[in-house]
């Protein structure tokens, strides 16, 4: 049985911090890696040791398999945790880690490969009795071969890349006349995105919900499901808000989906934490969509309603220990919601934004969890994912969780870079969202209206922003005593305005 005393965390930002914290609770030392622009990042200081791995572009640092394995060996690690993104679902990385005699804190490379090939996954899961979306279980060679299959399924159909996922290489075909052009487009997009142009067909499901089941598997043959997450609130295949449980899932449906999910994990010899994504139709049928063979961004909502630390369970499984999850944990308790606070400007088509975090007031109090990766002084660049932090709340009921999220979103102050914060607040206030009346088309349908109604940050809470800027100016003055004092000088117009505003209340 491998003992993990020290592991390499092959990631950055909030998830590196999250994993380092779990390591420390498990009595494991964590080695961080950092690119040139991350030298001062919070995850570097949180780790027991940190090693530079090269320039900012991920291809030269966080994606460099040889370098990462080398660092793990040089620093005496017994294992590597990939986090999510970067190398998390690259089978060659899992292979390289294992070949170096290290433990990969993730599933076997064979499971990553099986699920990475969408048609192979469909064949395996169909054989295991898991409902898959009606469609082909092999790639179709050309539009001529696709035509009879599409007719059999009935239009509309979707062309999807076998190497796909995340919506790339996907084309909707409304009628036979569009099939040839769509096939050519899907193939070329898939070729460009994945270096593999193979595509297959699925019946197009209208307005489904995206509901996924978290699973954990250990090397003693135990596979457990930790219920579902509702992930329908997405924009261009990026999730913005997730919650657990889903309002669309009854206890009976949860049992059936959980059975399908554990069967799916079993069918590929899965180990550790993974997620089975399903599409759930308005009439209550569910179909396997794909499996994420990694820890997911939204894992905290499951942690809060199931009282399980998924990252610690991953570490236990990797060390050859049995899952610690007990039967009582398989029942959800209360409700959890997550908002992904990203450096994207909702008022500029969610364009990724850059800047330096000048001021940060992190929400807190009962039922509030902040999984963040930045602090004042942190630079947000375009080199990496725009996720700044995840704000997660728990409440005894969904209504309480919603109230708490609104409160926490109002408490959050982040100055220096545009974020998605106010858009999240507007969604929390939306009647349809409050009713749980959401599907994968929700944001596309109501997003623009919500945006118009959202309060631009500069028009909300002037005192809050003034206070933030004042605090920032004080710190700047303290850091640079030689510079002209910023606050102690003649009363600034900001300060005067703030006092006046404060006195009026
Ligand atoms: C679908 C679908 C409807 N029918 N497949 C989008 C990304 C990729 N993971 C699969 N996706 C979809 N596949 C069938 N047969 C609708 C989507 C889809 C979607 C799925 C989950 C969450 C958000 C989505 C947004 C648009 C389309």
């Amino acid at each position: 049985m491998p003992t993990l005393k020290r592991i390499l965390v092959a990631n950055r930002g909030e998830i590196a911090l999250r994993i380092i914290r779990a390591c420390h609770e498990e009595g494991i030392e964590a080695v961080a890696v950092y690119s040139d622009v991350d030298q001062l990042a919070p995850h570097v200081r949180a780790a027991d040791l940190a090693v530079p791995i090269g320039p900012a572009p991920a291809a030269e640092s966080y994606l460099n398999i040889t370098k990462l394995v080398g660092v793990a060996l040089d620093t005496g690690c017994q294992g590597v945790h990939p986090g999510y993104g970067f190398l998390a679902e690259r089978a060659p990385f899992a292979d390289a880690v294992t070949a170096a005699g290290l433990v990969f804190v993730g599933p076997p490379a064979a499971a990553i490969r099986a699920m990475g090939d969408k048609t192979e996954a469909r064949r395996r899961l169909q054989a295991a009795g898991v409902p898959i979306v009606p469609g082909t279980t092999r790639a179709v060679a050309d539009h001529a071969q696709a035509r009879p299959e599409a007719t059999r399924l009935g239009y509309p159909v979707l062309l999807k890349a076998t190497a796909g996922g995340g919506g790339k290489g996907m084309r909707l075909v409304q009628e036979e006349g569009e099939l040839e052009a769509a096939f050519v487009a899907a193939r070329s997009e898939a070729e460009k995105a994945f270096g593999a142009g193979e595509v297959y067909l699925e019946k197009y499901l209208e307005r489904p919900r995206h509901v996924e089941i978290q699973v954990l598997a250990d090397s003693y043959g135990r596979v457990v499901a930790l219920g579902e997450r509702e992930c329908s609130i997405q924009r261009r295949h990026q999730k913005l808000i997730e919650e657990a449980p889903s309002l669309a899932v009854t206890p009976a449906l949860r049992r059936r989906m959980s059975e399908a999910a554990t069967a799916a994990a079993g069918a590929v010899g899965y180990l550790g934490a993974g997620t089975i994504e399903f599409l759930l139709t308005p009439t209550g049928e569910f179909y396997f969509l794909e499996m994420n063979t990694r820890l997911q961004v939204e894992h905290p909502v499951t942690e809060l309603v199931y009282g399980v630390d998924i990252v610690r369970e991953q570490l236990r499984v990797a060390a050859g220990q049995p899952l610690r999850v007990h039967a009582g944990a398989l029942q959800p308790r209360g409700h959890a919601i997550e908002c992904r606070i990203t450096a994207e400007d909702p008022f500029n088509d969610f364009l990724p934004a850059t800047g330096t975090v000048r001021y940060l007031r992190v929400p807190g109090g009962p039922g509030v969890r902040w999984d963040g990766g930045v602090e004042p002084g942190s630079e947000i660049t375009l080199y990496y994912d725009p996720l700044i932090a995840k704000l997660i709340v728990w409440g005894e009921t969904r209504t309480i969780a919603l109230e708490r999220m609104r409160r926490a979103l109002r408490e959050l102050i982040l100055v220096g870079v545009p974020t998605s914060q106010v858009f999240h607040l507007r969604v929390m206030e939306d009647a349809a969202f409050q009713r749980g009346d959401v599907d994968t088309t929700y944001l596309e349908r109501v997003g623009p209206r919500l945006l118009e109604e959202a309060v631009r940050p500069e028009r909300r809470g002037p005192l809050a922003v003034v206070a933030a800027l004042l605090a920032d100016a004080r710190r700047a003055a303290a850091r640079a005593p030689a510079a002209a004092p910023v606050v102690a000088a003649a009363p600034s117009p900001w300060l005067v305005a703030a006092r006046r505003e404060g006195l009026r209340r």
Side-chain angles (χ1 to χ4, degrees), residues 133 158 160 165-167 170 202-206 208 210 231-232 234 237 277 279 289-290 440 444:
V133 186
L158 266 180
K160 291 188 177 185
M170 199 169 86
E202 278 182 15
K203 169 85 185 156
Y204 178 67
L205 304 176
E206 313 263 0
H210 173 140
C231 301
S232 296
Q234 308 196 4
H237 306 304
E277 296 186 348
L279 291 179
L289 187 61
E290 48 194 68
T440 51
E444 209 181 305

Side-chain angles (χ1 to χ4, degrees), residues 101-444:
L102 302 165
V103 177
F104 183 68
V105 186
I112 301 178
R113 285 200 172 89
M115 289 299 187
D117 179 333
K118 304 303 161 192
T119 48
E120 182 181 349
R122 283 166 59 77
R123 289 193 298 276
R124 292 242 213 155
L125 296 211
Q126 189 173 47
V130 177
I132 60 171
V133 186
T136 67
T137 51
R138 299 272 172 193
V140 284
D142 48 37
H143 73 272
Q145 199 187 343
R147 188 162 323 227
E149 297 285 359
T151 306
R152 175 180 64 87
L153 293 168
Y155 289 88
V157 297
L158 266 180
L159 286 163
K160 291 188 177 185
T162 64
K168 262 187 219 136
M170 199 169 86
R171 279 289 183 288
L172 177 60
V173 190
Q174 294 284 1
E175 47 166 66
E176 190 168 305
E178 299 172 6
L179 188 61
E180 181 171 358
F183 189 93
V184 172
R187 155 163 291 184
S188 108
E189 193 176 312
E191 179 70 49
K192 260 184 227 132
F194 312 110
E198 288 195 331
V199 296
Y200 70 101
L201 274 172
E202 278 182 15
K203 169 85 185 156
Y204 178 67
L205 304 176
E206 313 263 0
R207 286 205 178 193
R209 287 178 183 249
H210 173 140
V211 176
E212 58 187 33
I213 303 273
Q214 174 72 54
V215 296
L216 289 171
D218 66 19
S219 49
Y220 300 86
R222 193 145 173 252
V223 187
V224 302
L226 294 179
E228 79 283 0
R229 292 185 285 259
E230 168 67 66
C231 301
S232 296
I233 312 273
Q234 308 196 4
R235 194 183 165 280
R236 298 196 186 153
H237 306 304
Q238 293 296 319
K239 295 167 186 162
L240 262 80
I241 296 164
E242 304 96 344
E243 57 180 292
S246 166
L247 284 190
V249 177
T250 61
L253 181 56
R254 181 170 305 124
R255 264 194 302 279
R256 289 201 293 131
M257 293 183 80
S258 296
E259 264 172 45
T262 52
V268 294
Y270 204 79
L271 280 181
T275 298
I276 316 289
E277 296 186 348
F278 293 103
L279 291 179
L280 176 63
T281 68
T283 48
E285 289 95 47
F286 66 89
Y287 303 98
F288 168 77
L289 187 61
E290 48 194 68
M291 180 170 190
N292 298 315
T293 52
R294 59 163 194 274
L295 176 69
Q296 283 192 281
V297 175
E298 61 272 30
H299 75 275
V301 292
T302 300
E303 294 189 322
L304 294 185
V305 295
Y306 282 87
V308 171
D309 186 320
I310 292 171
V311 183
R312 288 187 70 176
E313 293 299 322
Q314 282 190 298
L315 293 169
R316 287 178 62 85
V317 170
Q321 295 169 299
L323 287 171
R324 228 181 11 189
V325 178
H326 46 93
L330 306 178
Q331 281 302 324
R333 187 173 154 259
H335 203 96
I337 306 173
E338 171 178 282
C339 288
R340 296 190 187 190
I341 309 297
T342 62
E344 293 174 311
D345 185 357
F347 300 102
N348 192 9
D349 201 27
F350 285 89
L351 211 68
T354 60
T356 304
V357 177
R358 294 291 178 197
Y359 185 75
L360 179 60
R361 186 175 75 180
V362 169
V368 175
R369 170 170 164 182
W370 175 265
D371 277 20
V374 304
E375 60 194 1
S378 292
E379 285 217 38
I380 313 295
T381 68
L382 295 179
Y383 288 112
Y384 313 113
D385 189 275
L387 186 69
I388 291 177
K390 302 174 321 205
L391 176 56
I392 313 117
V393 302
W394 181 89
E396 293 82 350
T397 65
R398 186 170 186 265
T399 304
I400 294 170
L402 269 164
E403 288 162 355
R404 195 162 264 170
M405 182 59 92
R406 290 200 298 272
R407 185 270 289 175
L409 281 167
R410 291 193 180 106
E411 226 172 274
L412 169 64
I413 304 175
L414 198 154
V415 178
V417 59
T419 76
S420 53
Q421 178 183 2
V422 296
F423 187 69
H424 285 297
L425 189 55
R426 187 61 197 88
V427 173
M428 294 301 133
E429 290 163 346
D430 178 53
F433 178 78
Q434 289 181 358
R435 286 194 307 272
D437 186 6
V438 298
D439 58 57
T440 51
T441 67
Y442 168 84
L443 274 193
E444 209 181 305

Side-chain angles (χ1 to χ4, degrees), residues 446-475:
V446 309
R449 174 175 61 78
L450 295 182
L451 209 54
E452 269 173 40
E453 296 165 2
V455 179
R456 286 183 184 255
E458 59 271 28
R459 280 200 278 131
R460 223 193 67 234
L463 265 181
V465 175
V466 169
L469 293 175
L470 274 176
D472 184 50
R474 282 218 180 83
R475 270 194 317 278

